[in-house]
Amino acid sequence: MAALRGPARRLLPGGLAGLGLPPRRYRYKKKWAVTAPKISATRLALQNFDMNYRMQFGSLWPSIRVSLLSEQKYGALVNNFSDADRVSRELELLNAVDFVYESQKAARHVQWDSPVEGMRGEETAPQETHREQMTVEQTQTPSSLSTSISPNIKCYTFSKGDVSRFPPARPDALGTLGYYLLDAASLLPVLALNVQPGDLVLDLCAAPGGKTLALLQTGCCRHLAANDVSASRSNRLRRVLCSYFPKDISALVRITSWDGRNWGELEGNTYNRVLVDVPCTTDRHSVTEEDNNIFSRMRLKERQLLPMLQLQLLLAGLLAARPGGEVVYSTCSLSQLQNEYVVERAVEVAETEYNISVCVEDLSYFRRLFQDTFSFFADCRLGELVLPHLTANFGPMYFCKLRREQ
């Protein structure tokens, strides 16, 4: 064919069509790698959130959206195994306040006019279903609020509207760091777990370690099992613990890298308290960071299977809890599909497949207790949801407390 030039080429009917090829003007080689539009993972995440969260939150979504895209606010979790008094004084010199202490102090002095909100089931549609009949117990009164959260946790934050940042923690003479910087809203699941002295505690998805640190700050854990399925993340957890705790305290912690979905078979009916902080879409990270973004095209199937994974992990946590034990489920996502729907389904499956009765506890008192620090979503059917807000740019953080019945 290369030899056909000039007049010889014109002798063929239809040009090169005589060789089975279309004329050059009709030929097109699709260069998909160059011509196909490339959408970043962060842009894809934002498009997904715009479509779903606009329907879920309505007029609140524009404010949540701009907050997600703005700089996150942090809290400083004081390490009680360092010189905690000195660390607290230094943080107070920065005009930061211990939001846990201040909230408890307010609860002891303020008499609320109305009792804590009752059953969330009353807010559902008139036609009841099994999900709508789910029990949400009202267990707290104003006089008991200061004792209904995990003790000894100190976390300093700047007041609403103050966008100051904490400096990095410095090691003391023994090499122990004085505080840990984290999203202060991530402490709420730990506070809701209400760890008591002598409790056996399981942190089913422990890495990177902020909630594990907070659990140990309570000084109540007789033993803490900290698990993460990723060996690399478990190693990171070990390094974090070594930076904050002496060796004798670290001996109270057992770090494993097992598949948390199987924990009910490994250590069923064992723990007084279980924290299930599941993998999720990590909404803030998804709209701001390309690295390790679950909205990347290669992780599409993983993202689609997230609710099933979350359900399996929560069921494993319920099976690992002993009768009468308490489980807190949490995510850093705004998605109902990953939050309330997972809790509802887990309660149903626990009863129908494992003959376990589970009660969802009312945490609405958290909204009143911590309203000066966080912005809560008032219409969450089960559990509580912290919304990002420019004046208090923590979260998102969803948490729900369940109790396995005797």
Side-chain angles (χ1 to χ4, degrees):
M1 184 175 69
L4 295 176
R5 298 181 183 278
R9 182 178 179 180
R10 289 193 293 272
L11 291 175
L12 292 172
L16 294 181
L19 297 179
L21 297 174
R24 182 181 296 275
R25 65 179 177 275
Y26 297 124
R27 278 183 285 158
Y28 171 71
K29 181 178 180 182
K30 184 178 180 181
K31 300 180 177 60
W32 62 269
V34 177
T35 60
K38 294 182 179 179
I39 303 178
S40 66
T42 54
R43 183 180 173 189
L44 189 62
L46 197 56
Q47 290 176 350
N48 182 286
F49 295 164
D50 281 335
M51 179 174 61
N52 293 291
Y53 294 160
R54 182 180 287 113
M55 296 178 60
Q56 180 178 339
F57 295 104
S59 61
L60 292 175
W61 172 237
S63 172
I64 298 170
R65 187 184 195 273
V66 71
S67 301
L68 282 174
L69 295 169
S70 301
E71 186 174 355
Q72 184 178 14
K73 201 169 181 179
Y74 286 89
L77 173 65
V78 175
N79 182 12
N80 292 329
F81 299 94
S82 65
D83 188 350
D85 291 337
R86 177 187 60 81
V87 172
S88 297
R89 288 194 299 270
E90 291 178 354
L91 293 173
E92 288 167 2
L93 289 174
L94 299 174
N95 291 324
V97 296
D98 179 357
F99 82 87
V100 181
Y101 172 76
E102 292 298 327
S103 300
Q104 289 179 302
K105 183 172 69 174
R108 287 192 292 266
H109 292 89
V110 174
Q111 293 296 324
W112 293 325
D113 296 331
S114 59
V116 178
E117 294 147 15
M119 295 176 60
R120 298 278 177 87
E122 297 174 357
E123 302 173 3
T124 58
Q127 184 178 359
E128 292 186 348
T129 64
H130 175 75
R131 289 183 178 182
E132 292 169 338
Q133 294 171 354
M134 189 176 301
T135 303
V136 182
E137 282 204 352
Q138 177 181 328
T139 58
Q140 306 300 332
T141 61
S143 60
S144 66
L145 292 183
S146 61
T147 59
S148 60
I149 62 177
S150 298
N152 305 323
I153 292 178
K154 304 174 185 175
C155 183
Y156 282 80
T157 60
F158 295 106
S159 60
K160 280 189 174 181
D162 188 341
V163 294
S164 301
R165 302 181 66 179
F166 292 101
R170 299 193 306 265
D172 59 17
L174 299 177
T176 303
L177 295 174
Y179 57 85
Y180 181 85
L181 295 180
L182 78 176
D183 184 336
S186 66
L187 287 180
L188 297 178
V190 178
L191 292 169
L193 199 57
N194 192 20
V195 181
Q196 296 300 307
D199 278 349
L200 293 175
V201 182
L202 168 63
D203 189 353
L204 194 58
C205 309
K211 295 179 179 66
T212 306
L213 284 177
L215 287 168
L216 288 171
Q217 299 303 324
T218 65
C220 295
C221 301
R222 176 156 49 106
H223 178 76
L224 174 61
N227 179 72
D228 198 279
V229 68
S230 168
S232 61
R233 287 167 60 86
S234 295
N235 289 331
R236 179 183 174 186
L237 175 61
R238 287 189 180 89
R239 293 193 296 270
V240 169
L241 294 183
C242 288
S243 300
Y244 286 88
F245 298 109
K247 290 184 178 180
D248 57 335
I249 298 298
S250 298
L252 298 176
V253 185
R254 173 167 56 105
I255 300 177
T256 56
S257 297
W258 299 340
D259 188 337
R261 293 173 292 184
N262 302 325
W263 208 279
E265 303 170 9
L266 299 170
E267 292 182 337
N269 306 315
T270 300
Y271 294 92
N272 305 99
R273 301 288 189 271
V274 180
L275 178 62
V276 187
D277 183 46
V278 295
C280 65
T281 49
T282 54
D283 292 358
R284 187 184 290 273
H285 175 87
S286 293
V287 298
T288 56
E289 300 288 341
E290 288 293 327
D291 184 48
N292 197 31
N293 194 313
I294 198 168
F295 280 87
S296 65
R297 295 188 180 276
M298 293 183 295
R299 301 180 68 182
L300 174 61
K301 188 172 183 179
E302 178 187 353
R303 188 171 77 250
Q304 292 172 335
L305 293 176
L306 264 180
M308 177 58 67
L309 172 63
Q310 293 160 344
L311 172 62
Q312 292 170 329
L313 287 168
L314 179 52
L315 285 170
L318 290 169
L319 292 172
R322 61 179 56 178
E326 297 179 349
V327 178
V328 170
Y329 172 83
S330 64
T331 77
C332 49
S333 172
L334 297 163
S335 170
Q336 286 180 317
L337 188 62
Q338 301 175 61
N339 297 339
E340 295 106 305
Y341 292 166
V342 170
V343 173
E344 290 173 336
R345 183 59 180 157
V347 172
E348 292 175 5
V349 174
E351 183 173 355
T352 58
E353 296 190 14
Y354 298 99
N355 197 28
I356 293 175
S357 180
V358 177
C359 171
V360 180
E361 296 198 357
D362 180 17
L363 292 177
S364 58
Y365 66 95
F366 263 67
R367 271 184 272 152
R368 295 185 174 182
L369 194 58
F370 299 114
Q371 62 184 344
D372 292 336
T373 305
F374 305 105
S375 175
F376 287 91
F377 183 47
D379 297 327
C380 201
R381 295 197 321 275
L382 296 172
E384 294 297 329
L385 176 63
V386 174
L387 299 177
H389 192 277
L390 284 179
T391 62
N393 206 2
F394 301 106
M397 178 58 57
Y398 173 80
F399 58 105
C400 184
K401 187 174 184 178
L402 307 94
R403 187 176 72 250
R404 180 171 169 177
E405 299 286 21
Q406 295 282 358

